[in-house]
Each structure stands twice: as C-alpha cells, then as structure tokens.
Amino acid sequence: MSQTASLLATLKRQLRAQGKTYADVARWLDLSEASVKRLFAERHLTLARLECICGHLGMELFELTQMMQAEMHRLQQLTHTQEQRIADDRELFLVAVCVLNGYSFDDIHRQYQLSEAQCTTHLLVLEKLGLIELLPGNRIKRRVAANFRWRPGGPIQQFFQAHIAGDFFRSRFEADSEKLVVLNGLLSRAGNQEWQQIVQRLAKEFHALCEREQVLPITQRFGTTSVLAVRQWQHGLFQNYAR
C-alpha cells in the first residue's frame, strides 16, 4: 500500500472513531458529499484539505502521519508456528481472543475462571508473539494492525472449523441479536470478485464499529461473531447430477 493510501486509510479510521461521515467532511470543505467520496477514492486530497479535516478532528497533520507510521509497523499476521502455539493451548487462545477484542486484564480475570497468575503468564506469551505489549499495572496495549487477520487455512482457522463452526450454526437465528442470511445466485467470475470486495468492505465496517464502541464499558458490550463467506459451491446432494 502506498503512503498516500495508508495516510487516507488512517484518516478514515479517525473519522469513524469520532463518528464522523463523508457528509461532515463535505460540510467542512464546502463540497458535495459525492465530491468528497471521489476525492477519497481517487486519493486527490490536497494538503490544505487534509489540514482542514485534521483540524476538525482536533489533531495536527503531523499527528495523523505519526499514526500512519505507527500503524504500518503493527503486526498484520502471525506465522504458522505462532498461530499453532495459540491453537494448541485453549487458555492462551481464550486470552488472545479477549485481548484482540479490547478486554482489559481485569475484564479477563473477572469474566473467566483464570487466576491473575494464569492471566499474566498467557499475556507474557502473547507479548513474545508480538500481539500485545504488557505495560505496568497490567495494562494491555495491542500491537496488531487494523487489518490484522488469522492466516487463511492456518491453525486458528482450522481450529474454528473443527471445534467452533458446528456450535456456531447450531441455532435457529431467531433472537434479536442474531441473523442468518443465505444468498444464492449466478455470478460471473468478475461478479464473484466484486462481491468478495463488498464482503471485505463489510468486514472493515465491522472492525470500525468495534473500534468506535471501545469507549463503552465492557458490561455494555457482548461477544458478536459474524461469518462472511463466499464460495463457488454446490451441495453434495446434487453431485450425482453433475455432468
């Protein structure tokens, strides 16, 4: 990713974090919302306009640049061996998921049957793996990038498919906090790729929403899992009819 793209990605994260939209930016710059969307899409924001947006976000342009540089040095993915280390230890896996979701040390200790010593031990392992930095007072600083993800087909994904996927779908999805949408249709290869890009944007929106709600107490938030999947696939029931 180019530095311009990285800078604008950092800017968009700051906008989302403060609950601002393209409509707000359009008002600040005295432009139409469509023009603002085009400027971001084409990466044609001038320094003057960047400074204007930063000013409305309560920061200087150099602070935005520093945020971008810090983000670029954050961890984007673990190695296969590192993921396997987490997948092989259920308690470590639990703590890893908690810290990636913004839990504090006290949140983990209070919500799960882990002693302070156990929590500390697991957090030190995660620190060695580069996921976090354990600060004085048991404060946890995440060191993962906004686009951090588990390895496709890696140990964590395999663990999910083997142990969690079945339990996840063992629901009628009728509660207010649940929804299951299954879509089926015919797409070209180009259409399939376009839909995958839309799914990826939905994933970014999900992470952005999680970031915005980090200011809320942990007691007002609950674990929410969303599975977004795209496959060129046909149920085995119809395999015998294939030509």
Side-chain angles (χ1 to χ4, degrees):
M1 183 182 293
S2 69
Q3 287 193 350
T4 300
S6 296
L7 186 65
L8 291 182
T10 304
L11 178 59
K12 285 191 281 188
R13 282 193 292 273
Q14 289 304 307
L15 287 167
R16 288 194 295 263
Q18 296 193 28
K20 304 302 181 183
T21 65
Y22 283 141
D24 294 309
V25 176
R27 188 173 64 256
W28 301 338
L29 300 181
D30 195 22
L31 296 171
S32 68
E33 187 173 346
S35 296
V36 169
K37 290 180 179 179
R38 186 166 57 253
L39 288 174
F40 273 89
E42 297 176 354
R43 303 171 187 171
H44 284 167
L45 277 169
T46 64
L47 285 175
R49 284 172 171 167
L50 279 173
E51 287 179 336
C52 177
I53 297 171
C54 287
H56 281 87
L57 293 176
M59 67 174 67
E60 299 289 340
L61 181 56
F62 82 89
E63 292 179 278
L64 182 67
T65 304
Q66 288 179 328
M67 290 178 183
M68 176 199 72
Q69 292 174 337
E71 184 68 23
M72 291 174 67
H73 288 89
R74 287 177 177 267
L75 187 67
Q76 296 184 0
Q77 196 173 70
L78 295 175
T79 66
H80 185 281
T81 301
Q82 289 172 323
E83 277 201 8
Q84 193 66 61
R85 173 72 178 84
I86 296 174
D88 289 342
D89 187 328
R90 299 295 176 86
E91 285 187 7
L92 180 62
F93 192 4
L94 169 63
V95 175
V97 171
C98 285
V99 298
L100 289 175
N101 281 310
Y103 278 57
S104 69
F105 184 95
D106 290 339
D107 291 332
I108 300 171
H109 179 56
R110 187 165 48 242
Q111 191 160 336
Y112 299 101
Q113 296 184 33
L114 296 174
S115 67
E116 291 188 7
Q118 288 173 306
C119 286
T120 301
T121 298
H122 294 314
L123 290 172
L124 288 172
V125 173
L126 297 178
E127 184 175 46
K128 289 181 180 178
L129 294 176
L131 283 172
I132 66 165
E133 181 180 353
L134 190 57
L135 303 173
N138 288 326
R139 290 179 295 116
I140 301 169
K141 179 180 180 181
R142 289 180 296 174
R143 297 180 59 191
V144 296
N147 61 345
F148 174 84
R149 66 171 184 163
W150 301 115
R151 301 181 68 84
I156 300 298
Q157 191 176 92
Q158 291 179 26
F159 181 92
F160 174 83
Q161 292 171 337
H163 302 285
I164 302 175
D167 183 63
F168 179 84
F169 287 106
R170 197 174 296 118
S171 170
R172 296 177 64 87
F173 293 92
E174 294 177 340
D176 290 340
S177 61
E178 298 178 322
K179 181 174 289 291
L180 176 64
V181 178
V182 179
L183 305 174
N184 185 38
L186 301 178
L187 291 174
S188 65
R189 289 190 180 277
N192 180 280
Q193 288 297 315
E194 182 177 347
W195 177 242
Q196 290 188 47
Q197 292 171 7
I198 293 172
V199 169
Q200 187 59 45
R201 289 200 293 273
L202 287 174
K204 290 180 179 179
E205 289 296 326
F206 177 82
H207 290 303
L209 183 56
C210 291
E211 286 182 13
R212 288 203 301 273
E213 295 212 326
Q214 283 182 10
V215 297
L216 298 175
I218 196 71
T219 53
Q220 294 183 22
R221 293 177 286 155
F222 54 88
T224 301
T225 299
S226 183
V227 177
L228 307 174
V230 180
R231 289 184 64 193
Q232 183 178 343
W233 177 82
Q234 187 179 65
H235 195 286
L237 178 66
F238 305 116
Q239 286 183 348
N240 293 335
Y241 294 91
R243 185 179 294 277

